[in-house]
Amino acid sequence: MKWNKAVLSLTPYQPGKSIEAVKRQYGLEKITKLASNENPFGCSAEVKKAIAAYADSFAIYPDGYATLLREAVAEHVGVNEKQLIFGNGSDENIQIISRSLLDSSKNTVMATPSFSQYRHNAILEGAEVREIPLIDGAHNLEGMLAAIDENTAVVWVCTPNNPTGVYIDEASLRQFLNQVPEDVLVVLDEAYSEYAVAEDYPKTEKWIETYKNIIVLRTFSKAYGLASLRIGYGIADEDIIQKLDPAREPFNANTMGQMAAKIALQDQVFIERCRYENRQGLEQYYTFCQEENLSYYPSQANFILIDFKIDSDEVFQYLLENGYITRSGKGLGFPTSLRITVGSKEQNSEIIAVIKEFLTLQKSLTK
């Protein structure tokens, strides 16, 4: 086989273990998954009603233009319908951007550690990857600016950042964008923006009028609780959208996903509740970490990265055997940390109790 070298140099994305796999492996009845930053409260009840009542034919292709969803999102964020692009989750939009702008003559700049798919897609396109280490869990914006040159095509900015949950304040982000060359596309990945409560967290929807070289990525997979239906979207100047669209697969946004996302968008009371509950859950983890003298990053997302100062796989495995699926920091660039999705109040209390058991055991072994 005449494989591309880039494909052979990469490994597939490794999702967290599934609930059924853990049940079978460890003979457990109850599993709590807090690994993939999914919404523990599911989705809006209105979405469930609509899906249950859906009676149209599954033999018909989806609306390739996502007309009804496009209208709803445009109204919600306050932009023109032609300033939107829809994807099979944000992952596909990242792929579309990479396919459209990157090749072996270009380079791309990103923070590290950050979302792995920026690097993954850049390598597939043969581009040079310039990774700038985080500082205290935050993007080193000055370092990223210094890495940009005449061959830079795309800069990736994840805010709040995955896996740290640290965000970029409005003033800092504007200062950064003001210095990026106009022919470099800046991707503002805001997958967790609905969870952000910081007063200076930027509202970037309208920034496309000022910055013609940005695209803002959002998703229905996180706060809206529609991860299995795979709907993401990008907001950008119409010229950018027109140039990206040929790289989009036809019928890429499925019918059920489009319908569910449109209805979910209308239920902002549900989003407000999830944001509130998430903030309460984070406070549970903050209190726990302070009591146990564990380092963590204050998060504006629906997860927390906790440093246990030991091999994170040890903590991960102990929790797994006790029915809790989390994410070891080893594959995320933080080998002694664990990323835990914020669950319901009860789920948070339960997993914290198990972590305390682990810490007590560790202390007894070191005596």
Side-chain angles (χ1 to χ4, degrees):
M1 297 292 181
K2 299 177 179 65
W3 298 105
N4 289 340
K5 290 182 180 179
V7 171
L8 297 178
S9 71
L10 294 168
T11 56
Y13 178 79
Q14 297 297 322
K17 287 181 175 290
S18 72
I19 291 175
E20 291 306 316
V22 174
K23 279 184 176 180
R24 288 195 299 268
Q25 185 173 359
Y26 298 103
L28 299 169
E29 291 295 323
K30 178 185 175 183
I31 301 295
T32 301
K33 186 185 178 191
L34 300 172
S36 301
N37 306 334
E38 296 145 333
N39 190 335
F41 305 105
C43 64
S44 166
E46 297 304 312
V47 171
K48 296 177 183 178
K49 292 178 186 176
I51 290 176
Y54 185 79
D56 290 345
S57 173
F58 288 108
I60 305 300
Y61 281 110
D63 173 5
Y65 191 64
T67 305
L68 297 179
L69 177 58
R70 183 179 296 272
E71 291 172 354
V73 172
E75 181 179 356
H76 178 71
V77 300
V79 299
N80 187 291
E81 293 174 17
K82 294 182 179 180
Q83 294 173 319
L84 296 170
I85 188 170
F86 291 88
N88 185 31
S90 284
D91 296 289
E92 188 188 22
N93 283 327
I94 291 168
Q95 184 184 65
I96 289 170
I97 292 165
S98 300
R99 181 178 294 175
S100 300
L101 286 120
L102 298 177
D103 58 39
S104 59
S105 68
K106 314 276 184 54
N107 70 66
T108 181
V109 176
M110 63 194 69
T112 186
S114 193
F115 187 46
S116 62
Q117 292 305 289
Y118 311 147
R119 182 179 187 275
H120 186 95
N121 280 283
I123 290 175
L124 283 175
E125 300 303 330
E128 176 194 351
V129 178
R130 297 183 176 180
E131 296 178 290
I132 309 303
L134 300 174
I135 298 178
D136 295 329
H139 283 55
N140 175 3
L141 296 178
E142 289 187 8
M144 293 174 71
L145 283 170
I148 297 172
D149 64 17
E150 66 277 6
N151 294 319
T152 304
V154 183
V155 175
W156 306 89
V157 177
C158 185
T159 177
N161 186 47
N162 179 10
T164 62
V166 177
Y167 77 107
I168 303 171
D169 65 83
E170 180 172 347
S172 298
L173 186 55
R174 282 192 181 276
Q175 184 179 19
F176 173 75
L177 292 175
N178 288 336
Q179 297 177 77
V180 175
E182 293 181 357
D183 63 347
V184 175
L185 181 69
V186 180
V187 182
L188 302 180
D189 187 347
E190 300 182 354
Y192 301 94
S193 62
E194 286 83 7
Y195 287 110
V197 298
E199 290 184 2
D200 56 355
Y201 182 80
K203 307 298 184 185
T204 57
E205 300 94 325
K206 299 295 181 63
W207 287 21
I208 62 172
E209 302 302 328
T210 303
Y211 303 103
K212 300 296 185 179
N213 62 329
I214 68 170
I215 182 167
V216 180
L217 299 187
R218 302 273 177 83
T219 182
F220 286 92
S221 295
K222 304 304 180 183
Y224 287 96
L226 301 177
S228 68
L229 295 178
R230 313 303 298 128
I231 298 291
Y233 64 96
I235 311 167
D237 183 77
E238 185 177 339
D239 182 65
I240 290 177
I241 298 298
Q242 286 181 343
K243 288 182 170 61
L244 290 175
D245 208 41
R248 180 181 60 85
E249 296 292 334
F251 313 117
N252 61 329
N254 71 85
T255 299
M256 293 291 282
Q258 291 184 39
M259 178 188 70
K262 177 181 179 295
I263 295 169
L265 203 60
Q266 298 167 0
D267 192 354
Q268 290 301 309
V269 172
F270 173 76
I271 297 300
E272 290 173 10
R273 174 201 161 206
C274 292
R275 183 163 45 240
Y276 173 81
E277 294 292 345
N278 181 71
R279 192 51 40 187
Q280 299 306 303
L282 281 168
E283 290 297 333
Q284 288 179 266
Y285 285 102
Y286 294 163
T287 299
F288 158 68
C289 288
Q290 290 158 9
E291 290 174 349
E292 298 293 338
N293 197 29
L294 296 171
S295 299
Y296 65 93
Y297 292 111
S299 176
Q300 288 293 318
N302 68 331
F303 56 82
I304 184 169
L305 189 71
I306 303 174
D307 190 354
F308 289 90
K309 297 292 191 295
I310 60 171
D311 186 333
S312 59
D313 282 352
E314 293 185 33
V315 195
F316 168 82
Q317 188 61 34
Y318 186 87
L319 291 172
L320 193 64
E321 293 175 6
N322 282 274
Y324 295 90
I325 309 173
T326 57
R327 193 69 185 267
S328 170
K330 268 194 173 178
L332 303 174
F334 290 90
T336 62
S337 298
L338 205 68
R339 192 190 70 189
I340 305 173
T341 303
V342 177
S344 65
K345 182 179 180 180
E346 294 73 21
Q347 290 172 333
N348 299 330
S349 296
E350 290 168 358
I351 192 173
I352 286 171
V354 177
I355 296 173
K356 285 183 176 180
E357 291 176 5
F358 172 82
L359 294 174
T360 300
L361 180 61
Q362 286 295 111
K363 289 175 184 176
S364 68
L365 293 175
T366 56
K367 286 183 179 179

